[in-house]
Amino acid sequence: MAGQGIFETLSADLAEIETRLASADPAERRVAIIELAESAEAAAQPMLIRALADPDADVRREAASGLDQFDGLETATALAGALLDPDADVAAAAASSLAELKSPGAAPPLLTLIVHERAEVRAAAWRGLRGLKVKPALAPAIEALKDVDPRVRREAVGVLAYLKNEAALPALIEAARDQDSDVRRAAISALAFAPGAVAAEAARGGLADEHWQVREAAAALSGKISIADAAPSLMLALDDAFWQVRGKAALALGKLASVEAIPALGALLSHSVSNLRKDAATALGDIRHPDALPFLDAVADDADPDVRKIARWSAHLIRSSAG
Amino acid sequence: MANLDDDASFFEADILVIGGGTAGPLAAFKAKAANPALRVVLLEKANVKRSGAIAVGMDGLNNAVVPGFATPEQYVREITIANDGIVYQQAILAYARRSFDMIRELDDWGVKFQKDENGDYDVKKVHHLGTYVLPMPEGGTIKKALYRQLRKAQVLISNRFMATRLLTSWDGRAAGAIAVNSRTAELLVIRAKAVILAAGAAGRLGLPASGYLWGTYENPTNSGDGYAMALHAGAELTNLECFQINPLIKDYNGPACAYVGGPFGAYTANSDGARFIECDYWSGQMMLEFYKELEGGKGPVFLKLDHLAPETVTEVENILHRVERPSRGLFHQGRGADYRKDMVEMHISEIGFCSGHSASGVWVDEHAQTTVPGLYAAGDMASVPHNYMLGAFVNGAIAGEHAAQFVEEVPLADYDQGQVEAERARVTAPLRNETGLPPNQVEYKIRRFVNDYLQPPKVTRKYEIARKRFAEIRADLPRLAARDPHELMRALEVHSILDCAEMAAAASLYRTESRWGLYHYRLDYPETDDRDWFCHVQLTSDGKGGFVLRKRPVDPYVVPVKTTERDAYHRLRIPTPA
Amino acid sequence: MSFAENPSEFPVTIDAEKCIADKGCTVCVDVCPLDVLRINPETGKAHMRYDECWYCLPCALDCPTKAVTVAIPYLLR
């Protein structure tokens, strides 16, 4: 039966690729590595690992990128080694492949790198550990929230957030007051898994943050956990300088069904930014209280179609729940 | 150049999948997963590594049915309403039930979906009705993940072969296909017990406003070959009058940002910078509102992000300029446009067929079966409405699994060798013509007429003129000339484009009402007529170059939609008095 | 064959210094959905052969040596 030349070969000729990997020309070796990675064959893994020792940095980078499809201890060990490559591009490729690891068995080599002297290595090791969700990472990640480098602290927050372990809560609450705004923002978002009162406490702090994106994250957290304790600080956030924060605070108050917020939310319905009017109208519907009806009816013909649609919908929800 | 009189290469497979873009790879993979002993061929006109609508990835899911955010039944209701009720709900429900499992499987393969800080799917609420948007800011490498799975599953991948016609048996069963290589003009006959068509949208039907043939919304390789093959194999096509028209950046083929920018607060605005779209779902109704604003006194239409914080705009750009349409930043740069301070002008796309965004296509049931036994269809060319990328994956999977069962029970179908000979003559004709018409000119002419006469709003007289012009061009087709196999591929695509243009005209004339907003807006039948036209319009070939059209009643709903529900939805869209 | 040539500025350009097609690389040619790139047998380098660019960028993104540059076709600029 015909078929020769019509189909891509089902299995790459690894022996032939091996020959080209021995070429004196680094470009030829590089092309061979690209084909090797594309073959998606299990046998390509050790060959790619060997190529991490190639004298040519481009070959090593290609090999590090191709290893993103493999998992497990051997891959992790090899990539952890490549993370220390003198060539920055090779190290970057290794870092991004490490982030693809999924099996808990890949953790040991990463756990040795979290104390490496270079911050970018520590950060990449934590980033790789995040998806593995292994218990041995817990205590060191808590410790790493005190790292001198904000990139490391940010990745450590990610590891703890994925682990969702209550033992990390005090440290995450502490991280919500980190000096770096990215770390604070991540820590506040991470606390969505915390018991309501704990998260509400963190949200309260976050709503007073100097950085608007942290305040926005804190408002969003309050909406996610729906804890009544959060209401007073959210009410204050309805006056935030950033409409983005006000919008998230409004939505959160809607989730909390905060009847006290109705007048303040009603006032937002005349704000010039239509996105904010939209959020306020959504919140008023979520609260499901007839006191909101005069506010909503007043914007049933708002100039912005999204605002009036939601105002009408919210009024409909309130009337049908009362009826 | 190949010797045109060579015997065609010949191969026998269990399942032949035509199209290696989105649905096709899933069909092939799932067929192999169901039974690794099957010989499954995946035929692709380009190269599976980067082909189809998602060649450069996808920036988000628009129809993710994730537990806790939406239920399959809720999704079915909303798609039913968005398509004015003309849907085959069983197929939508079959998709919706597998939507979440497919997301998780793709996730395992390394396809990246946005997750919140705790690693849970970060589903976004864009509309007040349902919550179906799952962003994919790192969705640029989907094809790489798919390709690896295909290699692992030992699918027989054949690149640079364009399928041109299906083979059928005396009793109407699918028997295989004929294909031609775009580099060598080598003919290939593949016999198979089941054929799965996944050849994508008909994206080269209308001409973009720029006049540039290749500036289409769809990947231009999606030239409608699947619709043409299904037609000539005797399959039924449905609702082809429900065109695809999309909002775009003016002169650039990047879509609007509703689903990407929406969660960040960006929106489509008129020249006053104000929202104007009443409709809550991406649908023909939304496009009609877009069109009216574009043509009205408050036009043109703009994409507005200049009210967002600079940090937010950077975040949006990092998605829009990297995934799905990565040359978008380059385009804006060329014109000195900056989202931070400028609204960016928008326009509407050329027309096409694509169930990804509308409701047309080769008719399929909930198992992705067409009306031809042994022939399946999935993805943008199959009739499951508002399919998008995830629907293509799921329906591809459904097709592959069902076909794997089907081929257990049947032998290879016999076909008449005359079909091969007739197709060989048609396929090789442009190479035999020493002089003649260049494919790009014939294509330009068809597509310009599509714009002149078929672009909605639809007018009966214009459509009649179009059919005359198309018939004249059909008479010109034998004069198409190709200098090499690449041009031959283009010449054969011209055949598909003309088939689609004629189908679009015939189906549109048949449905004497307006429906689906701009998609089927007829100026001489401006009202929706539920009494006579609450039905699908089915189109088949009459075997003599013409079509047979008939009504197909809408099947009883499996997920009832209460009239109050529909009314509540419509009430929201009542425009405010000016 | 009697086709008149139509002049066009090619949107895809390839830096021959960086291109390693002569070492066996076919990445850009493989990933182009429109199949408009070819390798010149004389120079061993990739080039644009057909003026049918969708400016979708896999050729530039996947090129291992970043030798490919894609410009938006003039008609759209």
Side-chain angles (χ1 to χ4, degrees):
Chain A
M1 187 179 295
Q4 234 76 27
I6 295 170
F7 302 112
E8 266 188 26
T9 45
L10 284 175
S11 314
D13 186 346
L14 296 184
E16 188 271 337
I17 291 179
E18 191 83 71
T19 319
R20 281 188 285 148
L21 282 175
S23 162
D25 186 334
E28 280 178 12
R29 298 202 298 278
R30 189 172 177 183
V31 172
I33 291 291
I34 293 170
E35 285 174 34
L36 189 58
E38 266 175 5
S39 76
E41 288 188 37
Q45 187 228 29
M47 293 168 75
L48 288 168
I49 289 176
R50 280 199 296 280
L52 289 174
D54 194 281
D56 184 79
D58 290 329
V59 175
R60 299 200 298 279
R61 180 166 54 80
E62 218 70 71
S65 295
L67 281 165
D68 72 336
Q69 62 191 301
F70 297 103
D71 206 338
L73 182 61
E74 280 158 29
T75 305
T77 307
L79 287 171
L83 201 53
L84 308 176
D85 196 283
D87 184 280
D89 291 339
V90 178
S96 102
S97 290
L98 280 171
E100 300 295 318
L101 293 170
K102 287 192 166 79
S103 79
L110 295 173
L111 286 167
T112 65
L113 286 181
I114 55 179
V115 290
H116 193 269
E117 56 182 4
R118 277 167 36 217
E120 59 271 26
V121 173
R122 297 197 297 279
W126 284 119
R127 180 65 182 77
L129 280 164
R130 190 178 77 178
L132 311 186
K133 302 187 200 176
V134 291
K135 192 83 186 287
L138 179 65
I142 290 171
E143 197 57 32
L145 293 179
K146 298 188 199 115
D147 197 283
V148 290
D149 193 289
R151 290 168 298 175
V152 178
R153 301 200 297 278
R154 200 261 163 265
E155 293 302 342
V157 167
V159 170
L160 295 172
Y162 269 53
L163 279 170
K164 297 185 189 175
N165 188 309
E166 296 214 353
L169 289 176
L172 282 172
I173 289 164
E174 185 66 29
R177 293 190 288 266
D178 194 279
Q179 59 188 29
D180 183 88
S181 66
D182 275 349
V183 177
R184 298 199 298 277
R185 190 181 172 193
I188 284 172
S189 303
L191 284 162
F193 79 90
V198 177
E201 172 66 30
R204 209 165 18 243
L207 284 169
D209 199 279
E210 60 179 25
H211 198 288
W212 75 270
Q213 287 181 299
V214 179
R215 302 200 298 279
E216 189 189 33
L221 171 66
S222 311
K224 229 172 177 174
I225 54 168
S226 294
I227 282 291
D229 299 7
S233 42
L234 286 169
M235 294 281 284
L236 292 174
L238 290 181
D239 290 326
D240 196 278
F242 275 72
W243 61 262
Q244 291 88 340
V245 180
R246 295 186 188 193
K248 287 286 192 306
L251 291 172
L253 285 162
K255 295 267 165 51
L256 301 184
S258 167
V259 177
E260 307 76 58
I262 290 174
L265 290 169
L268 288 183
L269 288 176
S270 53
H271 194 277
S272 63
V273 172
S274 62
N275 287 352
L276 181 52
R277 300 203 298 279
K278 198 173 142 179
D279 290 339
T282 305
L284 287 171
D286 286 345
I287 296 170
R288 296 274 205 292
H289 192 282
D291 285 1
L293 286 173
F295 295 109
L296 291 167
D297 290 343
V299 290
D301 289 325
D302 191 280
D304 186 289
D306 273 15
V307 176
R308 61 178 180 263
K309 271 188 292 186
I310 290 175
R312 289 168 189 175
W313 183 248
S314 290
H316 163 77
L317 289 176
I318 294 168
R319 291 200 165 95
S320 49
S321 70
Chain B
M1 190 167 297
N3 180 346
L4 300 179
D5 299 314
D6 269 359
D7 277 343
S9 296
F10 179 80
F11 190 79
E12 274 182 11
D14 293 299
I15 297 174
L16 168 62
V17 182
I18 297 173
T22 312
L26 256 293
F29 175 85
K30 288 290 182 182
K32 280 298 265 189
N35 181 356
L38 294 178
R39 276 168 308 174
V40 178
V41 171
L42 179 59
L43 209 58
E44 165 58 47
K45 185 158 75 167
N47 185 307
V48 175
K49 285 181 206 170
R50 289 283 201 181
S51 60
I54 59 165
V56 225
M58 184 52 67
D59 54 23
L61 301 177
N62 305 338
N63 56 345
V65 185
V66 178
F69 293 93
T71 64
E73 289 72 21
Q74 186 185 5
Y75 177 78
V76 172
R77 272 196 292 272
E78 290 193 22
I79 296 297
T80 302
I81 293 171
N83 285 286
D84 291 353
I86 312 288
V87 292
Y88 180 68
Q89 278 194 339
Q90 283 90 331
I92 305 171
L93 186 61
Y95 155 74
R97 285 185 171 147
R98 292 185 62 165
S99 171
F100 185 55
D101 284 343
M102 181 55 69
I103 294 172
R104 286 194 294 192
E105 185 164 22
L106 292 167
D107 197 334
D108 280 346
W109 292 352
V111 176
K112 295 190 186 67
F113 301 98
Q114 185 162 302
K115 293 181 178 164
D116 64 17
E117 190 64 25
N118 297 114
D120 301 316
Y121 292 117
D122 193 9
V123 186
K124 297 287 184 191
K125 193 168 176 67
V126 173
H127 307 304
H128 62 281
L129 286 176
T131 305
Y132 305 105
V133 174
L134 180 55
M136 301 174 66
E138 298 171 84
T141 54
I142 305 176
K143 290 292 290 192
K144 193 165 152 186
L146 292 180
Y147 183 70
R148 285 171 173 169
Q149 294 302 326
L150 293 173
R151 293 287 299 239
K152 280 186 198 156
Q154 300 271 293
V155 169
L156 292 158
I157 298 172
S158 185
N159 291 315
R160 305 294 173 195
F161 269 101
M162 172 188 180
T164 61
R165 282 289 184 267
L166 300 177
L167 296 167
T168 49
S169 66
W170 63 271
D171 57 349
R173 234 184 87 195
I178 305 169
V180 61
N181 188 288
S182 67
R183 300 257 178 91
T184 63
E186 174 188 9
L187 279 190
L188 169 63
V189 175
I190 296 185
R191 240 183 122 180
K193 294 176 180 174
V195 178
I196 300 172
L197 278 171
R204 255 153 73 201
L205 191 47
L207 191 63
S210 63
Y212 180 59
L213 280 178
W214 314 97
T216 46
Y217 176 81
E218 295 292 339
N219 184 329
T221 51
N222 294 338
S223 47
D225 309 329
Y227 300 82
M229 281 187 276
L231 173 78
H232 295 295
E236 227 168 69
L237 294 96
T238 189
N239 299 332
L240 294 173
E241 65 281 14
C242 180
F243 295 168
Q244 160 175 255
I245 305 168
N246 287 316
L248 292 179
I249 301 297
K250 174 86 165 60
D251 298 335
Y252 182 75
N253 58 355
C257 73
Y259 291 110
V260 173
F264 293 96
Y267 55 85
T268 307
N270 59 23
S271 58
D272 295 340
R275 275 198 190 88
F276 61 89
I277 292 174
E278 301 279 339
C279 179
D280 206 53
Y281 204 92
W282 188 333
S283 65
Q285 176 59 33
M286 188 197 85
M287 281 313 301
L288 182 59
E289 291 166 11
F290 192 105
Y291 170 80
K292 285 184 171 165
E293 200 79 359
L294 194 65
E295 301 294 322
K298 285 184 182 170
V301 168
F302 297 89
L303 171 58
K304 182 171 159 57
L305 288 91
D306 58 3
H307 57 296
L308 303 179
E311 297 93 326
T312 311
V313 176
T314 304
E315 221 173 315
V316 175
E317 280 177 341
N318 281 342
I319 305 170
L320 288 180
H321 298 177
R322 284 192 189 161
V323 186
E324 195 180 349
R325 294 287 197 273
S327 61
R328 190 173 180 136
L330 196 65
F331 172 79
H332 289 319
Q333 200 185 8
R335 292 190 170 177
D338 181 354
Y339 290 146
R340 285 160 198 78
K341 48 187 176 57
D342 308 304
M343 297 203 298
V344 177
E345 188 185 351
M346 296 180 69
H347 200 65
I348 56 175
S349 72
E350 66 281 359
I351 68 162
F353 295 151
C354 173
S355 66
H357 305 91
S358 73
S360 65
V362 176
W363 176 269
V364 291
D365 66 10
E366 58 273 44
H367 306 298
Q369 299 181 101
T370 71
T371 56
V372 170
L375 180 64
Y376 296 77
D380 280 344
M381 61 166 290
S383 64
V384 186
H386 279 87
N387 223 347
Y388 298 110
M389 177 183 75
L390 193 59
F393 283 139
V394 171
N395 289 312
I398 289 172
E401 286 167 6
H402 199 275
Q405 272 181 2
F406 175 83
V407 299
E408 297 280 336
E409 296 152 17
V410 295
L412 282 161
D414 288 316
Y415 58 91
D416 177 32
Q417 188 59 26
Q419 289 177 41
V420 176
E421 292 317 315
E423 185 57 2
R424 182 203 302 277
R426 184 183 79 98
V427 164
T428 56
L431 284 177
R432 296 178 195 274
N433 282 340
E434 285 289 323
T435 58
L437 300 168
N440 62 349
Q441 284 196 8
V442 181
E443 175 172 346
Y444 182 88
K445 191 164 166 179
I446 298 168
R447 292 172 60 190
R448 183 174 61 79
F449 284 142
V450 166
N451 280 23
D452 289 348
Y453 298 119
L454 303 192
Q455 177 96 23
K458 304 179 182 180
V459 176
T460 303
R461 188 75 185 94
K462 284 190 184 179
Y463 267 67
E464 287 164 359
I465 297 171
R467 296 187 81 176
K468 238 177 117 184
R469 294 287 92 85
F470 294 152
E472 289 158 10
I473 295 174
R474 182 158 298 279
D476 293 335
L477 291 186
R479 294 179 52 221
L480 276 167
R483 292 172 294 184
D484 62 22
H486 182 87
E487 282 186 358
L488 175 63
M489 165 170 70
R490 298 290 175 242
L492 294 167
E493 288 169 347
V494 169
H495 285 252
S496 301
I497 293 167
L498 186 60
D499 282 345
C500 289
E502 291 189 325
M503 287 191 272
S508 295
L509 280 173
Y510 184 72
R511 186 184 281 278
T512 51
E513 63 151 0
S514 287
R515 192 175 287 274
W516 303 300
L518 185 62
Y519 298 163
H520 184 64
Y521 179 33
R522 291 191 68 167
L523 289 180
D524 30 14
Y525 299 94
E527 302 299 325
T528 298
D529 175 4
D530 275 338
R531 199 176 55 96
D532 283 336
W533 290 104
F534 191 81
C535 60
H536 305 277
V537 166
Q538 309 294 99
L539 179 150
T540 45
S541 167
D542 69 359
K544 297 172 288 192
F547 307 120
V548 179
L549 289 135
R550 69 173 183 93
K551 296 179 179 181
R552 180 193 162 112
V554 173
D555 291 64
Y557 287 163
V558 286
V559 180
V561 179
K562 287 186 228 135
T563 32
T564 51
E565 230 168 335
R566 208 181 307 175
D567 290 348
Y569 179 84
H570 284 300
R571 239 195 334 272
L572 297 172
R573 304 205 312 223
I574 299 165
T576 184
Chain C
M1 176 119 9
S2 63
F3 283 2
E5 293 298 331
N6 242 339
S8 178
E9 183 192 42
F10 278 160
V12 182
T13 48
I14 285 137
D15 184 339
E17 293 287 306
K18 291 185 186 165
C19 176
I20 54 169
D22 52 341
K23 312 291 183 186
C25 181
T26 56
V27 169
C28 64
V29 178
D30 288 346
V31 298
C32 175
L34 278 296
D35 203 16
V36 303
L37 305 177
R38 290 290 184 275
I39 292 162
N40 182 333
E42 282 166 28
T43 61
K45 304 294 179 179
H47 70 114
M48 187 169 184
R49 170 77 186 278
Y50 300 94
D51 184 23
E52 301 167 341
C53 179
W54 191 47
Y55 42 98
C56 55
L57 300 197
C59 55
L61 298 172
D62 295 353
C63 172
T65 64
K66 302 291 160 231
V68 183
T69 309
V70 179
I72 302 289
Y74 179 74
L75 288 176
L76 314 179
R77 246 178 262 164

